[in-house]
Amino acid sequence: MKKVVSVIIPVYNVEEFIFRTVESVMNQDYKNIEIILVDDGSPDNSAKIINELAKKDDRITCVHKENGGVLSARNAGLRIASGEYVTFIDGDDWVEPKYISYLLNLVESNKCEIGMNKNNYSDYNTKSNEEEYVVSAEKAIEWIYLGDIFVAVWNKIYSMQFLKNNILFDEKIWYGEGMLFNIDCLQFVDSIAVGEKSVYHQVSNPNSAMRKFNVDSNLCGIRSLEIQKKHWRKSNPAIVDAWNYRVTVKGDRHH
């Protein structure tokens, strides 16, 4: 029996993007998926669009909730996800037809519980290659702090097996939240699979709640880094140096 992969997509004010996003998931070459669309009290037509899409594909589940932010939306999706693996896609992005099969093969063939992709398509990046390798969780933590693996939760795949350790998004951390989630996850595994083939398209959306930045965001990002340090079960001098670099040189301007 092929494993089920849960795809969680938070939906908020993305009426001009969400059809393409969901359609790109419906058209995956790997069919054994559940698509969880979480409408986070969106005031535009997003809710109507996803309800229409759900009529076309019985793999789609729509959740409608009061607005609580993207993290509460992802958590709502995680709480009902029934797949062996989960992946996240932002509501304004879209993915290649082999997005799921690529990530699933990355973790299964390398016997890892987390797969992270180093590359994606965006305005700034078109890099893609077939490289894949396994690195220790400690090395992955270091790379995230140094910016060698981006900190977002999209373009990655996670085994639900270890997420059952009650790993959820910290809804009080609205900036630097992806990094916190990934660092938390990496405390529970020995190694991860890394791929470099671009299968995810990050779309420039100036209105995206996730991409606005201000002083409050920076303070929240620093708070996120401090929480991460408290959660470390794995640490070494390289991780400490990389964490210090993140705090002092970069702040936390990415998710």
Side-chain angles (χ1 to χ4, degrees):
M1 182 68 183
K2 279 190 161 183
K3 292 186 173 172
V4 176
V5 178
S6 302
V7 182
I8 297 174
I9 306 175
V11 177
Y12 184 79
N13 269 7
V14 284
E15 62 183 4
E16 61 187 297
F17 303 100
I18 192 62
F19 185 86
R20 179 174 67 176
T21 305
V22 178
E23 200 175 43
S24 75
V25 180
M26 289 161 65
N27 294 333
Q28 289 296 299
D29 60 9
Y30 188 86
K31 304 296 181 195
N32 208 18
I33 58 177
E34 65 169 3
I35 305 168
I36 302 172
L37 307 176
V38 186
D39 162 37
D40 189 38
S42 192
D44 67 355
N45 287 310
S46 297
K48 204 162 100 185
I49 296 165
I50 65 173
N51 286 341
E52 288 301 312
L53 284 164
K55 290 176 190 166
K56 296 182 184 178
D57 194 323
D58 60 9
R59 297 174 300 174
I60 294 177
T61 300
C62 292
V63 177
H64 298 279
K65 62 185 275 305
E66 278 183 20
N67 179 252
V70 68
L71 308 182
S72 75
R74 286 181 186 147
N75 282 341
L78 274 175
R79 287 188 182 102
I80 63 166
S82 63
E84 280 96 333
Y85 290 97
V86 64
T87 184
F88 300 94
I89 297 172
D90 278 0
D92 38 17
D93 298 337
W94 60 283
V95 291
E96 294 284 326
K98 56 189 172 293
Y99 175 74
I100 300 289
S101 57
Y102 174 73
L103 287 177
L104 186 60
N105 183 61
L106 184 65
V107 283
E108 296 263 283
S109 63
N110 290 298
K111 298 185 170 52
C112 291
E113 291 188 282
I114 300 177
M116 295 189 175
N117 198 339
K118 276 184 99 165
N119 293 332
N120 66 291
Y121 294 115
S122 71
D123 293 348
Y124 319 102
N125 188 23
T126 52
K127 281 193 300 191
S128 182
N129 65 63
E130 301 291 336
E131 285 286 310
E132 55 181 69
Y133 38 90
V134 174
V135 300
S136 69
E138 286 85 354
K139 181 55 73 178
I141 292 167
E142 188 188 332
W143 280 358
I144 285 174
Y145 287 139
L146 294 175
D148 294 332
I149 294 180
F150 54 83
V151 299
V153 295
W154 42 260
N155 208 8
K156 298 176 174 63
I157 191 167
Y158 307 85
S159 164
M160 285 298 284
Q161 195 57 45
F162 78 87
L163 287 179
K164 289 178 181 137
N165 288 311
N166 207 21
I167 300 176
L168 289 166
F169 291 90
D170 183 336
E171 294 177 24
K172 294 191 209 69
I173 296 295
W174 42 268
Y175 199 88
E177 87 306 323
M179 184 188 275
L180 176 53
F181 182 84
N182 280 314
I183 297 296
D184 279 352
C185 288
L186 287 164
Q187 309 307 315
F188 290 93
V189 299
D190 294 325
S191 55
I192 70 157
V194 180
E196 296 194 4
K197 187 180 180 70
S198 287
V199 288
Y200 189 102
H201 294 259
Q202 187 186 14
V203 175
S204 295
N205 174 10
N207 300 317
S208 168
M210 298 306 290
R211 292 175 196 152
K212 289 178 178 163
F213 182 82
N214 57 35
V215 173
D216 285 346
S217 305
N218 196 32
L219 292 172
C220 189
I222 297 294
R223 196 156 69 248
S224 167
L225 284 161
E226 286 165 355
I227 294 169
Q228 291 161 39
K229 198 172 188 180
K230 286 186 188 140
H231 290 184
W232 285 351
R233 298 178 179 195
K234 298 174 189 287
S235 180
N236 60 36
I239 287 174
V240 174
D241 286 349
W243 184 90
N244 285 327
Y245 165 79
R246 190 79 193 197
V247 171
T248 54
V249 180
K250 301 191 84 165
D252 187 52
R253 293 175 176 267
H254 307 80
H255 297 283

